[in-house]
Amino acid sequence: MFGLKLDWVCDLPPQHFVLEDYEGGTPRWCPGCGDHAVLTAVQKLVRDEQLPPEKITCVSGIGCSSRFPHYMSTYGFHGLHGRALPVACGVRSRRPDLHVFVATGDGDCCAIGTAHWIHAIRYNMKMTVMMFDNNIYGLTKMQTSPTSKVGQTSNTHPGGAPLPPLNPLTVTLGITNASFVAQTVDWNPAHVLATLRKAYHHEGLSFVRILQRCPHYMDHLWDEVQADPNKILLLEHENGVTAEPSLKRLFPNHRVHDPADLESARNIAACDMPIPIGILYQNESAARYDKLCAVGLNQGVEERLAAVQREIDRFMV
Amino acid sequence: MSTLATSIDKSNGSQSETTRPVQVLTVPQHVVEVVCDSGEGAQTAGQLFGTISAKTGNGVWTVEIIPAEIEPPVRSRSGASGNRIRIGSSEVTNMGDAADVVIAFNEQVLYSRIDVGALRPGTLVFLESKWGSDPQAAIREAYSEAKADFIDRGYVVHEVAMEDECLKVVADARRGKNMFALGLMCALYERDKEKVLAEVRAKFKKKGEKLQAANVALVEAGYAWTERHLDVRYRIPAREIQEELVVMNGNQAAALGVLAAGIELCSMYPITPATSVTHYLAAVMEHAGGFIHQAEDEIAAIGFALGASYAGKTAVTVTSGPGMALKTEFIGLAVMAELPLVIINVQRGGPSTGLPTRVEQGDLLSTLFAAPGDAPKIVMAPTSIAECFHFVVMARQLAETFRGPVIILTDANLATGQSPFPRPRVRSEWLAPPIDQSDWDSSVPAYAWDEQTGLSARPIPGQKGGEYVLTGLAHDERSKVAYESAINQRAMIRRSTKLAVLQKALKPPEVHGDPEGDLLVVGWGSTRGAIEEAVDRVRADGGKVSSLMLRFLSPLEPGLKEIFSRFKQVMTVEINYSDDPGAPYITEENRRYAQLAWYLRARTLVDIDCWSKVPGIPLPPGDIERVLRQRLASN
Ligand SMILES: Cc1ncc(C[n+]2csc(CCOP(=O)(O)OP(=O)(O)O)c2C)c(N)n1
Ligand code: SF4
Ligand SMILES: [Mg+2]
């Protein structure tokens, strides 16, 4: 059996990639941190898609989850807190050949990076955006996040978070030109992978909110949801995440939801419990700014030189 | 001082019965202003006069006169809109001192020029006279009071019935006065009428035949009025023009520089006075194979540019002070992660929103030092409109060679000043893309810092074997996050050394005037023309003063200390704030110096003084001249 496989491997074209080709340094997240599972899912996805590592760029902000690019052996840009999206858009703007993945936290995206979140959604440039939502600031040691639930105690609100949390799904679905919104939970690897696969193939910006465990600061946050599968609403549709039988068995609570239906996506998103997972919305005909950004990409030096000369001539005395 | 005729030509230039004997005064240079209420077109007239003068072979510098508000009320003392055109028989590098001739469409806008010291006794004023017979008594009164006041102030006032003259030719005089004024100016300076009319026709070619013909008739009316009423003409001898010239303002020059530098992405957020760079680019960038992105804010603008740069594209971001403040964190990242980027800061008055449309050189220290921690970067300042073009081309090359951000500091004076300069010869090498997609030798790390120079080549996404994760965290050669003391120290040394290496490649700055003397004036940026003119005037009277302009602020050009040592006194002249040493509370210990002085004192340990102020307008050479004479006298 093994001998057979070896022969078979030797025959493979040199560009066949295996998981190790995408694995960077050893992840330094806490044991049990949900980020590990997402990393593995992304590595599987790009392996399945056979994307050359040099053609992948992972962009992130700052936070535990933004460490993501360091654990991929692809190109990566671990930039500033809150600013992953502008950088990712810039990478994408003149390089349609690159596959762009973005890792951002709930603080990174929904607090300091809010302006960019809204505008990146509207720009709708092709990239896969993973928003790791652990309802807390992890890296800076447990401060309230915009998605922390009322009463959640933290180092900045020892008496509990005072305001109702911001709902990243309804916000995103409210943004003009949003084209892909999904939600998944880190503790179900099959669903994460299926969701990210859909997101990756989406022709535009895909926004995936990943409910993420942070055992270090938010132990028990999702205990209830994990213990009671009825607390999850599995969205399914032939155009959505195709739910395997095992998933369906796990989550008795399912609902057929057509991702083309924005109205119903917004209603589902607005509901706190049960937690919807799957594709809420997808529209591949939304305007794509990256198509505009690529103008003139193929112009040669001589053509550009001629244009510059013409412009300068217009100022001739 | 500037109107003194150097020769008087009493010849009668009469060609027809209507012309009267005129006196032709030959002068080396003149300052002309045309001012009106916003919307009356004085800017167009002024610019055309500037272009025509440049074509005639005169040196020219034009300055926009911009009201503070977008739609100021008519006839308001703060609402003047128009142009100052300084013309000369040699190169003109600055706006000059008081105006010799002013055409004003009402007396109130003239006051707004008087308020900023733009006139002097003897200035020839052409004043629209229709207000003297306005139906409203208040306006009639204001006009006659003002007229009397102008005469008291020593201006030579010519009342011109502009409205009536224009109505003879067009139905709506408010829209035609500017071309009448152009005719007047061109006649006064003996511009060849046929050439002027050809220029006007070309300018309005696209606006339709009717409008074109009306404007031509208005210009002719201006000529005719001058022939009937004026017995003086000014002659400013033309230069032989050897080379092809272009005429434009500093923002247009910077924008053309962006195109010529082969920069393919401009990422911006609108801010005065930088926006016009990007307006121009928005119109043309696509033709030159580039794209302009209007971001949601300045942070996103530079982030987008850096993303593109990381992906191997040439990029620029264009902004002004408040935008620079927002970009600071990303500039630090560009230094830390060694990402090439050209940043153009068209400075305006600060702090905060400050004086949005006005000139100031207030961002030098923040540009050099603003960053968390130590972030050495290249900073340059063009001193002329031509340099606004060439420095962008140079900046792109430096950004790539030295792998980091290069900041160009211009200001509102260069941004809106127009002047002719030799047509740049663009080379196709300038446009070559940096992107290389061949395989990267994976044994070479992403930061293979040369031990001596700190320089290294960078891999670009798409290059197999070059995969690395760029990070703003402290990192080693392989871009691996590293908190070890030794690695951090080493990386800081490498990034800093690059500046020293660049300095080695620079030449010591040239001294304008004698290489030694009693006083050396040091400046940077747009003040060059005014400083050198002031120095020349004082030198003409035997003053031992020279000047030096710094074009590189980081690293500084070499040899400064040695140059300074040859002068008894060294001082900077700048358009930014400094405490007056004689003011209450101000002592040697607490005096805050002008920014370049502050910096040069620290760099050279020379006791450098400064003279600076923040008037919001360019420094006239006459003001600098006075200061230099005082300094020389007090020594
Ligand atoms: C400009 C700036 N402000 C603040 C910080 C500190 N900081 C780093 S990460 C972070 C919050 C991270 O929370 P989140 O985005 O939810 O990521 P997580 O660690 O939870 O994955 C903060 C406040 C910073 N790095 N930069
Ligand atoms: S602190 Fe929380 S989010 Fe951060 S690595 Fe640990 S478990 Fe993960
Ligand atoms: Mg978080």
Side-chain angles (χ1 to χ4, degrees):
Chain A
M1 183 73 192
F2 268 93
L4 234 177
K5 189 160 184 202
L6 198 67
D7 288 342
W8 181 66
V9 167
C10 291
D11 277 351
L12 277 179
Q15 68 268 30
H16 183 85
F17 302 108
V18 294
L19 270 185
E20 291 82 73
D21 290 324
Y22 303 100
E23 289 170 2
T26 317
R28 304 258 289 271
W29 292 306
C30 306
C33 174
D35 296 353
H36 292 283
V38 183
L39 175 67
T40 307
V42 172
Q43 286 165 342
K44 279 189 181 147
L45 170 70
V46 295
R47 188 267 327 262
D48 293 350
E49 300 293 336
Q50 285 295 296
L51 305 183
E54 71 273 13
K55 289 286 194 180
I56 299 173
T57 301
C58 298
V59 182
S60 67
I62 298 289
C64 291
S65 41
S66 288
R67 286 281 182 132
F68 186 95
H70 289 283
Y71 312 135
M72 296 284 291
S73 62
T74 63
Y75 281 93
F77 191 118
H78 177 212
L80 300 181
H81 188 33
R83 319 297 173 196
L85 286 166
V87 171
C89 290
V91 169
R92 177 72 204 179
S93 66
R94 306 285 289 174
R95 290 296 303 271
D97 58 316
L98 297 178
H99 308 280
V100 180
F101 290 85
V102 176
T104 177
D106 44 322
D108 203 61
C109 178
C110 308
I112 190 168
T114 309
H116 313 313
W117 167 29
I118 290 179
H119 289 278
I121 295 291
R122 181 169 159 257
Y123 298 146
N124 191 34
M125 303 169 82
K126 184 167 167 58
M127 62 183 68
T128 310
V129 179
M130 300 169 285
M131 200 275 273
F132 295 72
D133 195 347
N134 53 3
N135 289 13
I136 200 78
Y137 287 11
L139 189 75
T140 43
K141 303 190 181 353
M142 202 185 183
Q143 294 84 17
T144 308
S145 126
T147 60
S148 301
K149 298 194 177 65
V150 183
Q152 170 66 52
T153 55
S154 75
N155 284 322
T156 39
H157 292 98
L163 294 172
L166 187 145
N167 181 334
L169 296 179
T170 54
V171 171
T172 310
L173 286 166
I175 301 168
T176 308
N177 215 37
S179 72
F180 185 104
V181 181
Q183 178 156 273
T184 186
V185 290
D186 78 56
W187 55 89
N188 193 307
H191 195 265
V192 174
L193 182 57
T195 309
L196 289 179
R197 194 185 311 283
K198 264 289 191 194
Y200 165 74
H201 284 288
H202 173 66
E203 290 299 320
L205 185 148
S206 48
F207 180 84
V208 183
R209 180 194 190 200
I210 303 168
L211 302 183
Q212 178 227 321
R213 289 162 302 166
C214 169
H216 199 75
Y217 293 118
M218 302 289 279
D219 209 6
H220 313 301
L221 175 66
W222 309 111
D223 279 5
E224 230 186 295
V225 184
Q226 283 182 277
D228 179 2
N230 279 309
K231 296 229 147 89
I232 295 270
L233 174 65
L234 182 69
L235 303 176
E236 50 165 335
H237 191 270
E238 53 179 352
N239 297 331
V241 172
T242 30
E244 296 165 28
S246 61
L247 269 179
K248 282 198 183 179
R249 243 176 289 131
L250 188 61
F251 301 115
N253 217 348
H254 10 106
R255 169 173 171 176
V256 175
H257 165 66
D258 180 355
D261 186 349
L262 181 58
E263 197 55 37
S264 126
R266 285 180 176 151
N267 290 333
I268 294 169
C271 192
D272 285 342
M273 219 22 107
I275 294 170
I277 61 169
I279 317 288
L280 283 104
Y281 181 62
Q282 182 169 24
N283 169 14
E284 294 208 297
S285 56
R288 289 248 320 257
Y289 187 56
D290 47 346
K291 302 247 166 163
L292 298 176
C293 294
V295 290
L297 213 48
N298 301 321
Q299 265 191 36
V301 167
E302 289 314 314
E303 208 180 330
R304 295 170 66 188
L305 180 63
V308 179
Q309 303 287 22
R310 264 198 310 279
E311 276 311 312
I312 295 179
D313 283 342
R314 296 199 357 207
F315 293 89
M316 291 279 287
V317 169
Chain B
M1 70 217 73
S2 42
T3 44
L4 286 185
T6 50
S7 75
I8 294 180
D9 183 348
K10 277 273 180 188
S11 72
N12 180 342
S14 84
Q15 283 131 2
S16 67
E17 312 95 329
T18 52
T19 45
R20 29 194 273 177
V22 295
Q23 190 185 32
V24 178
L25 304 178
T26 299
V27 291
Q29 64 90 40
H30 247 200
V31 175
V32 188
E33 287 194 357
V34 47
V35 286
C36 64
D37 281 340
S38 179
E40 289 183 313
Q43 298 214 344
T44 313
Q47 271 160 18
L48 264 174
F49 181 60
T51 308
I52 290 164
S53 300
K55 288 195 175 178
T56 317
N58 280 152
V60 179
W61 185 278
T62 65
V63 187
E64 284 175 20
I65 297 165
I66 318 166
E69 300 159 52
I70 292 187
E71 280 292 341
V74 294
R75 293 176 45 78
S76 87
R77 195 161 174 148
S78 59
S81 165
N83 237 283
R84 159 177 280 226
I85 312 99
R86 187 177 185 205
I87 40 184
S89 48
S90 53
E91 192 193 355
V92 178
T93 58
N94 67 85
M95 67 159 196
D97 296 307
D100 300 289
V101 172
V102 181
I103 303 179
F105 291 12
N106 69 61
E107 78 288 352
Q108 298 302 319
V109 293
L110 187 65
Y111 269 123
S112 80
R113 301 304 299 154
I114 293 171
D115 290 345
V116 294
L119 278 74
R120 59 164 169 77
T123 300
L124 208 56
V125 171
F126 294 95
L127 186 61
E128 161 69 281
S129 63
K130 76 163 195 161
W131 309 105
S133 51
D134 196 88
Q136 292 183 45
I139 291 182
R140 287 199 302 274
E141 244 162 64
Y143 178 81
S144 58
E145 266 172 35
K147 197 178 79 186
D149 180 36
F150 296 157
I151 292 164
D152 270 0
R153 289 170 185 261
Y155 311 148
V156 179
V157 180
H158 288 270
E159 292 185 86
V160 186
M162 295 186 206
E163 180 106 351
D164 292 344
E165 293 292 334
C166 293
L167 284 174
K168 290 180 195 163
V169 190
V170 290
D172 181 3
R174 198 179 135 81
R175 298 207 159 267
K177 258 180 225 178
N178 63 338
M179 288 298 114
F180 175 84
L182 176 65
L184 196 162
M185 288 187 280
C186 289
L188 186 60
Y189 291 93
E190 298 188 299
R191 303 290 179 230
D192 182 283
K193 191 158 104 185
E194 283 318 309
K195 284 189 184 151
V196 171
L197 295 181
E199 195 67 34
V200 172
R201 276 191 203 101
K203 168 89 187 171
F204 295 100
K205 204 167 100 193
K206 286 193 189 134
K207 300 261 160 128
E209 251 170 57
K210 220 173 126 200
L211 199 97
Q212 195 186 35
N215 282 321
V216 165
L218 284 159
V219 173
E220 286 188 301
Y223 265 93
W225 184 90
T226 312
E227 274 156 23
R228 285 200 308 277
H229 294 93
L230 283 187
D231 53 11
V232 64
R233 301 285 184 279
Y234 295 106
R235 183 172 294 166
I236 295 167
R239 302 173 289 175
E240 269 305 310
I241 310 177
Q242 306 290 357
E243 5 174 34
E244 291 181 316
L245 296 178
V246 285
V247 62
M248 65 184 79
N249 67 36
N251 273 2
Q252 287 165 328
L256 285 175
V258 166
L259 297 184
I263 291 176
E264 67 171 86
L265 179 82
C266 170
S267 181
M268 53 75 71
Y269 186 80
I271 185 165
T272 306
T275 323
S276 70
V277 176
T278 54
H279 286 180
Y280 178 61
L281 285 176
V284 303
M285 198 132 178
E286 274 187 30
H287 308 304
F291 182 73
I292 177 158
H293 170 59
Q294 178 179 339
E296 58 270 28
D297 59 34
E298 280 92 347
I299 300 173
I302 185 172
F304 195 101
L306 285 173
S309 168
Y310 173 73
K313 299 295 176 168
T314 48
V316 66
T317 186
V318 186
T319 193
S320 189
M324 274 304 272
L326 287 178
K327 291 178 199 293
T328 305
E329 194 187 5
F330 258 127
I331 295 174
L333 176 68
V335 171
M336 183 61 147
E338 305 190 51
L339 271 177
L341 183 68
V342 177
I343 301 166
I344 301 174
N345 173 4
V346 186
Q347 298 166 97
R348 62 191 223 173
S352 189
T353 311
L355 295 169
T357 58
R358 300 294 169 82
V359 62
E360 197 178 299
Q361 300 179 308
D363 294 351
L364 175 60
L365 292 179
S366 61
T367 298
L368 290 171
F369 300 117
D374 180 52
K377 57 185 104 63
I378 298 171
V379 181
M380 304 153 71
T383 69
S384 67
I385 290 167
E387 286 175 4
C388 288
F389 175 92
H390 292 287
F391 278 27
V392 181
V393 177
M394 187 171 20
R396 177 202 152 176
Q397 288 158 2
L398 292 174
E400 270 158 32
T401 310
F402 290 89
R403 205 178 167 179
V406 176
I407 301 175
I408 298 174
L409 291 173
T410 74
D411 63 36
N413 182 24
L414 287 172
T416 57
Q418 282 210 32
S419 189
F421 63 90
R423 186 195 193 285
R425 301 266 149 244
V426 183
R427 303 226 294 267
S428 59
E429 305 95 87
W430 296 356
L431 294 145
I435 194 159
D436 175 357
Q437 293 285 277
S438 59
D439 286 359
W440 179 271
D441 174 356
S442 59
S443 69
V444 176
Y447 299 95
W449 293 310
D450 181 87
E451 269 183 44
Q452 297 284 313
T453 64
L455 298 177
S456 57
R458 66 183 180 127
I460 283 164
Q463 282 189 284
K464 198 169 157 185
E467 296 86 352
Y468 77 107
V469 179
L470 175 145
T471 179
L473 285 162
H475 51 266
D476 64 11
E477 285 81 347
R478 296 210 153 266
S479 198
K480 295 292 173 218
V481 177
Y483 296 123
E484 291 82 347
S485 327
I487 296 177
N488 192 45
Q489 184 72 24
R490 183 171 75 227
M492 292 284 242
I493 292 170
R494 299 290 182 257
R495 290 191 293 270
S496 182
T497 308
K498 291 191 288 182
L499 289 192
V501 172
L502 171 56
Q503 198 201 35
K504 265 250 174 285
L506 301 177
K507 288 201 289 267
E510 263 175 44
V511 174
H512 176 85
D514 287 337
E516 73 274 301
D518 292 337
L519 176 61
L520 178 71
V521 182
V522 187
W524 63 287
S526 71
T527 47
R528 175 167 69 106
I531 289 176
E532 290 182 354
E533 185 167 339
V535 164
D536 290 344
R537 290 185 198 168
V538 178
R539 290 177 60 78
D541 294 339
K544 289 190 168 43
V545 56
S546 302
S547 63
L548 177 160
M549 295 302 292
L550 289 171
R551 289 167 173 84
F552 274 85
L553 280 327
S554 172
L556 279 168
E557 288 147 72
L560 292 184
K561 202 165 174 169
E562 194 275 321
I563 295 172
F564 294 173
S565 73
R566 295 189 243 124
F567 291 84
K568 288 194 190 132
Q569 288 183 72
V570 181
M571 70 183 288
T572 69
V573 167
E574 303 175 59
I575 313 178
N576 51 39
Y577 182 78
S578 62
D579 288 328
D580 175 351
Y585 294 104
I586 303 305
T587 65
E588 189 46 48
E589 235 175 76
N590 66 18
R591 178 178 180 208
R592 296 175 62 246
Y593 282 80
Q595 299 194 7
L596 180 64
W598 201 318
Y599 182 46
L600 289 179
R601 288 171 69 87
R603 299 260 31 164
T604 62
L605 295 181
V606 173
D607 189 7
I608 294 165
D609 198 359
C610 60
W611 178 78
S612 74
K613 55 182 196 167
V614 282
I617 51 172
L619 299 178
D623 288 12
I624 301 172
E625 178 191 346
R626 254 189 312 283
V627 171
L628 302 189
R629 288 188 195 280
Q630 277 163 14
R631 290 294 157 121
L632 288 172
S634 69
N635 214 33

